Amino acid sequence: MATLAVGSFELVLTWEGLRQTVGLGNGSVVAVARASPGVRSSANQGTTWSSATGPNNLNAVASAGGGIVIAGADNDLYRSTDSGVNWSSSVFNQVAGIFQDLLDLGGGEMLATASAVATQNTKIYYSSDAGANWSLRATIGDSWIQNFVSSGGGIIVGVGQTYTDGSGYYGRIFRSTDAGQNWSAGGPYGDLTWFQDIALWPTAGKIWASGRNSSFDYSVYQSTDEGATWNVKNTGNYFALGASSDETLLFWGTLADVVYQSTDEGTTTSLVEDFGGSGDYTRFLTEAESDYVFAVVNRGSVDDTLWRAIYSSSAARKSDMKKHPLSGAKAHVYNASGTIRLQWFEPGSLTPDATVDILTAQGTLSPAIEWEADGRLRLCLSDGSTRKESATPWILASWGNWT
């Protein structure tokens, strides 16, 4: 699989409370959010979305195959048999806690992890019929499991923390070798108080887990033996983890709203996207299918965003750069009723090929753009006496989905 070019991600959905996505195959995707409605679905790899009639305020989602989708909320699980279009009222009737993650083990077997804040316990629930019925499989005391993965053969690895009265919280990596019936907690791992995310290459048996200390300094640990032992792999403050299905790429996101990729199992990383947020963070990175990856960016009190990158044209992205070659094309920026707009002209043409809103600016600022040496654009504004520049140059394609 080719690596992603810088600026490969494009915005495909804005939705407050966005949490997770899952790919169902053939371009179908389901996304869930802590919102009302809580489910949206796409039939074209996330290009367009429609709201589903179903549950609200969801935390997690997983596919059991054959169009069956399970979604987790607080104290409840919901099921769809038509790729997320319609949903059961509930397939769960007991107090569990906050369902954090769902896991498809294959053959109709599934696991769900629910954490009860009041009792400091995690409960693992099991289904043998693709999520139609659930039973309690294990209770892990004084623990909280945030996410988990399966490497096959009954091995389940989860990340989170344990709590000890008088001693505080410790970041833990949990492991089961019997499909979630019994669990062991590894660590402590240095001064880490919490493990946030986990990514897996199942065939290679390699797993990565991101954890932080009380000062929010992050480290990534790696296991090369399906979670039996762990070593520090990288201390670059990576928060969210993702992995390609062909086991060649890793995707890591930071609390500074930047996504990196790695081709050497996380030893080194290179920039893929800077979403330019202030106080934002990339919460999850999930590969929906073998040719594209999603990044969910949480933005606090405003709408969250879902971004998509497609591998199939990663050398130049889908590609706006191919359609609008930098060597001969022209760009014009102007201010229309307080909205800064970019017009793009093909070489030799006087008719704009596209007009894209960039941002809303107060007053009558005069906009202009400048080319960077690497082919990126920098937006400059002036009110006649003061010149302002965008802090970070932008990839042209980041402003719109031009086809």
Side-chain angles (χ1 to χ4, degrees), residues 1 53 66-67 84 97 110 138 159 167-168 177 197 206 212 225 235 243 250 270 277 280 300 306-307 311 350 354 369:
M1 180 179 292
T53 301
M110 300 189 75
V159 293
S167 299
T177 59
D197 207 359
K206 297 179 179 180
R212 66 167 173 82
D225 53 10
T235 57
L250 297 174
S270 60
D280 306 335
L306 181 65
W307 301 74
Y311 298 123
L350 296 178
I369 57 171

Side-chain angles (χ1 to χ4, degrees), residues 219-304:
S219 298
V220 177
Y221 280 70
Q222 182 189 33
S223 172
T224 58
D225 53 10
E226 299 182 295
T229 59
W230 295 84
N231 293 289
V232 176
K233 187 66 176 180
N234 197 303
T235 57
N237 268 341
Y238 299 105
F239 172 84
L241 306 181
S244 65
S245 61
D246 71 346
E247 304 190 4
T248 63
L249 287 178
L250 297 174
F251 306 101
W252 292 357
T254 73
L255 287 174
D257 215 6
V258 181
V259 173
Y260 296 84
Q261 65 187 346
S262 175
T263 58
D264 56 10
E265 300 184 11
T267 301
T268 61
T269 61
S270 60
L271 176 70
V272 175
E273 194 76 60
D274 184 346
F275 294 111
S278 176
D280 306 335
Y281 58 93
T282 305
R283 183 179 179 88
F284 297 103
L285 295 171
T286 58
E287 185 177 52
E289 289 184 0
S290 60
D291 61 345
Y292 62 105
V293 62
F294 283 130
V296 176
V297 178
N298 285 166
R299 298 187 178 276
S301 60
V302 299
D303 283 353
D304 305 317

Side-chain angles (χ1 to χ4, degrees), residues 128-272:
S128 62
D129 53 10
N133 297 280
W134 295 83
S135 60
L136 180 63
R137 169 151 284 195
T139 299
I140 308 172
D142 298 322
S143 301
W144 183 294
I145 296 182
Q146 177 82 10
N147 297 299
F148 54 6
V149 295
S150 171
S151 64
I155 296 178
I156 314 295
V157 180
V159 293
Q161 66 181 182
T162 60
Y163 176 76
T164 303
D165 288 335
S167 299
Y169 294 94
Y170 296 93
R172 300 290 188 183
I173 301 176
F174 302 85
R175 188 171 188 259
S176 171
T177 59
D178 54 10
Q181 297 182 70
N182 297 280
W183 294 82
S184 59
Y189 300 90
D191 63 347
L192 300 187
T193 59
W194 176 264
F195 273 95
Q196 164 66 29
D197 207 359
I198 189 167
L200 166 72
W201 285 353
T203 303
K206 297 179 179 180
I207 310 174
W208 293 263
S210 63
R212 66 167 173 82
N213 60 22
S214 58
S215 299
F216 286 85
D217 298 320
Y218 276 83
S219 298
V220 177
Y221 280 70
Q222 182 189 33
S223 172
T224 58
D225 53 10
E226 299 182 295
T229 59
W230 295 84
N231 293 289
V232 176
K233 187 66 176 180
N234 197 303
T235 57
N237 268 341
Y238 299 105
F239 172 84
L241 306 181
S244 65
S245 61
D246 71 346
E247 304 190 4
T248 63
L249 287 178
L250 297 174
F251 306 101
W252 292 357
T254 73
L255 287 174
D257 215 6
V258 181
V259 173
Y260 296 84
Q261 65 187 346
S262 175
T263 58
D264 56 10
E265 300 184 11
T267 301
T268 61
T269 61
S270 60
L271 176 70
V272 175

Side-chain angles (χ1 to χ4, degrees), residues 19-71:
R19 285 297 181 266
Q20 284 190 3
T21 64
V22 63
L24 311 182
N26 299 319
S28 295
V29 188
V30 171
V32 299
R34 291 195 65 84
S36 179
V39 181
R40 294 188 184 182
S41 61
S42 173
N44 50 18
Q45 296 185 335
T47 300
T48 58
W49 296 83
S50 59
S51 298
T53 301
N56 302 322
N57 298 316
L58 301 173
N59 305 310
V61 64
S63 169
I68 298 175
V69 186
I70 308 298

